[in-house]
């Protein structure tokens, strides 16, 4: 009888709080449809990992086994990137390489937040870097960096990254409107359809991998996986593998990744002031990324004869394709006949590349300053 009551006897208020947090994530996933594919598994993982004496965690617990097999080895984020690469169409970016600048400018929040986190005195430089990377708006990159530099904060960093990604339609519009005028938001941009040769589509992922790898070798795992997935998509002879990467592989790894992250959210690791600070600074990183992209576009307009719509800069974050759609939505509200979706998507795709390179730069540079 005592064995049957063991769980109840060890139940503490901190466990109940984590049940509520897990339930909230599940609610947001189902009722609000905020990144449901990840927030639901994370929420459920948080619940089962915080049940006293849970057999899901520990030496023989399946969540712990999955963590060592997929997160500690960095396997899950890399596999996710293969699926993401198979989903992305880089043709708009190839046709408008100028948009790469916006993908770079919108990473400003990563480094600004990292410096702020260090200045609080609460976090080491590697931990601050892991917090800053939330601003990449790229879940797998956030997990990859956090696992390397701040495994003790993997849970809150992952939750923040995916939660704010899902909240892009809520976070970005106020920032964009604050930094732009109505006339700026009505700026039209010419779009000329450019036929991208098949050979260019095939060479693009190969060349990008080599260039990024030579410049930042730490980027090879993520950029290589992303570009390999894209090469499967564009080569034209592996349609079945492309569909498998986009569907079966992505879906399976997403399930395992989500519930494994939830398994790291133990009450002792999650319920502290540092977690609240991480969540707050993650939001700041997203805001700074959006602001950095918009302000960069406004700066360029000082020199350009044909002005760019500053909202394009906001689409330079990696939340693909949500951010691009948000920009077009705002443009349509200002002027129903203004269509800048293709330019916004080009900047959004550039942001996907930019976030991976930014994460790789952090992985390479932070140890140099230790």
């Amino acid at each position: 009888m005592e064995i049957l009551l063991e769980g109840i006897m060890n139940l503490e208020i901190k466990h109940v709080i984590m049940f509520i947090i897990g339930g909230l994530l599940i609610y947001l996933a189902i009722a609000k449809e905020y990144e449901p594919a990840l927030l639901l598994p994370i929420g459920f993982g948080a619940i089962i990992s915080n049940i006293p004496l849970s057999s899901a965690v520990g030496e023989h617990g399946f969540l712990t086994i999955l963590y060592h097999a997929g997160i500690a080895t960095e396997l899950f984020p890399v596999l996710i990137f293969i699926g993401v690469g198979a989903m992305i169409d880089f043709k708009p970016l190839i046709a408008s390489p100028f948009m790469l600048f916006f993908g770079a400018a919108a990473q400003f929040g990563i480094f600004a937040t990292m410096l702020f986190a260090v200045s609080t005195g609460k976090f080491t430089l590697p931990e601050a870097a892991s917090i800053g990377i939330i601003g990449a708006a790229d879940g797998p990159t956030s997990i990859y960096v956090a696992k390397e530099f701040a495994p003790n904060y993997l849970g809150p960093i992952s939750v923040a990254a995916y939660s704010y990604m899902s909240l892009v339609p809520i976070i970005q519009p106020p920032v964009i409107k604050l930094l732009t005028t109505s006339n700026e938001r009505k700026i039209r941009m010419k779009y000329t359809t450019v036929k991208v040769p098949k050979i260019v589509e095939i060479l693009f992922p190969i060349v990008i991998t080599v260039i990024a790898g030579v410049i930042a070798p730490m980027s090879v795992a993520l950029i290589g996986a992303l570009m390999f997935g894209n090469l499967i998509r564009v080569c034209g002879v592996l349609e079945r593998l492309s569909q498998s990467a986009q569907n079966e592989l992505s879906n399976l790894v997403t399930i395992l990744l989500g519930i494994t992250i939830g398994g790291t959210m133990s009450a002792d690791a999650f319920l502290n002031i540092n977690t609240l600070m991480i969540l707050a600074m993650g939001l700041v990183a997203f805001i700074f990324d959006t602001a950095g992209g918009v302000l960069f576009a406004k700066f360029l307009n000082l020199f350009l004869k044909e002005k760019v719509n500053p909202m394009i800069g906001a689409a330079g974050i990696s939340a693909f394709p949500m951010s691009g759609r948000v920009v077009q939505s705002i443009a349509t509200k200002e002027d129903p006949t203004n269509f800048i979706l293709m330019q916004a998507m080009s900047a959004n795709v550039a942001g996907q590349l930019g976030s991976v390179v930014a994460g790789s730069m952090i992985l390479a540079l932070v140890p140099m300053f230790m």
Side-chain angles (χ1 to χ4, degrees):
M1 187 67 176
E2 186 176 334
I3 294 178
L4 296 177
L5 296 175
E6 238 180 344
I8 297 175
M9 292 170 62
N10 284 276
L11 186 66
E12 300 178 27
I13 186 65
K14 63 182 181 181
H15 299 131
V16 176
I17 293 174
M18 290 307 299
F19 294 163
I20 295 172
I21 291 174
L24 176 62
L25 294 176
I26 293 174
Y27 168 77
L28 293 174
I30 297 174
K32 302 297 183 180
E33 296 188 14
Y34 291 164
E35 289 290 329
L38 274 157
L39 290 192
L40 191 148
I42 290 174
F44 193 76
I47 291 174
I48 63 177
S49 66
N50 281 283
I51 294 174
L53 309 177
S54 171
S55 63
V57 293
E59 185 180 355
H60 301 294
F62 82 96
L63 290 181
T64 303
I65 292 172
L66 284 174
Y67 176 84
H68 290 299
I71 302 293
T73 61
E74 302 167 351
L75 178 62
F76 288 167
V78 169
L79 291 178
I80 284 286
F81 262 92
I82 293 177
V84 171
M87 296 176 195
I88 293 180
D89 182 2
F90 283 110
K91 287 200 293 293
L93 178 60
I94 297 172
S96 304
F98 175 68
M99 293 298 168
L100 281 169
F101 291 108
F102 296 110
Q107 310 306 317
F108 168 74
I110 296 174
F111 301 97
T113 305
M114 181 177 71
L115 294 175
F116 177 75
V118 169
S119 70
T120 65
K122 290 278 190 179
F123 304 98
T124 64
L125 181 59
E127 290 170 345
S130 300
I131 296 168
I133 206 66
I134 294 172
D138 188 340
T141 300
S142 297
I143 294 169
Y144 197 91
V145 175
K147 177 267 162 188
E148 196 70 30
F149 286 157
N152 50 320
Y153 293 127
L154 179 63
I157 287 172
S158 303
V159 169
Y162 283 110
S163 297
Y164 294 140
M165 279 174 60
S166 66
L167 293 174
V168 160
I170 297 173
I171 295 171
Q172 284 202 307
V175 180
I176 293 172
K177 291 177 181 179
L178 179 66
L179 297 174
T180 58
T181 65
S182 178
N183 286 336
E184 286 176 325
R185 295 193 291 273
K186 290 178 181 177
I187 292 176
R188 294 171 176 269
M189 297 177 65
K190 294 180 181 178
Y191 181 77
T192 304
T193 303
V194 178
K195 177 69 175 177
V196 178
K198 191 69 175 179
I199 186 64
V200 175
E201 281 192 80
I202 293 172
L203 288 175
F204 179 79
I206 299 171
V207 172
I208 290 295
T209 301
V210 173
I211 294 175
V214 171
I215 295 174
M218 287 294 291
S219 71
V220 174
L222 294 183
I223 279 285
L226 184 73
M227 290 300 146
F228 173 64
N230 188 250
L231 183 59
I232 291 175
R233 173 194 176 99
V234 301
C235 70
V237 295
L238 294 174
E239 181 61 25
R240 287 172 56 193
L241 293 187
S242 175
Q243 290 300 320
S244 295
Q246 294 178 49
N247 297 291
E248 288 85 359
L249 177 64
S250 293
N251 292 336
L252 178 60
V253 179
T254 296
I255 291 172
L256 297 179
L257 181 67
I259 198 168
T260 304
I261 291 170
T264 69
M265 294 170 59
S266 65
D268 292 332
F270 201 85
L271 297 178
N272 54 65
I273 187 64
N274 286 359
T275 294
L276 294 177
M277 292 179 68
I278 289 171
L279 295 176
M281 286 187 287
L283 176 59
V284 170
F286 265 68
I287 292 172
F288 277 16
D289 274 350
T290 301
V294 172
L295 293 175
F296 176 73
K298 288 169 71 85
F299 174 74
L300 286 183
N301 277 345
L302 297 175
F303 309 97
L304 295 176
K305 185 176 180 180
E306 290 190 12
K307 308 300 183 184
V308 299
N309 191 310
M311 294 193 296
I312 294 297
I317 70 171
S318 181
F320 178 86
M322 289 177 289
S323 187
R325 291 172 179 169
V326 166
V327 167
Q328 176 58 51
S329 175
I330 299 174
T332 302
K333 288 178 182 177
E334 294 288 342
D335 178 359
T337 64
N338 188 13
F339 296 97
I340 56 173
L341 181 61
M342 293 307 294
Q343 292 91 339
M345 285 302 180
S346 297
N348 214 174
V349 170
Q352 182 77 64
L353 292 177
S355 67
V356 177
V357 173
S360 301
M361 286 177 60
I362 285 176
L363 286 170
L365 295 176
V366 167
M368 296 172 58
F369 292 96
M370 294 296 294

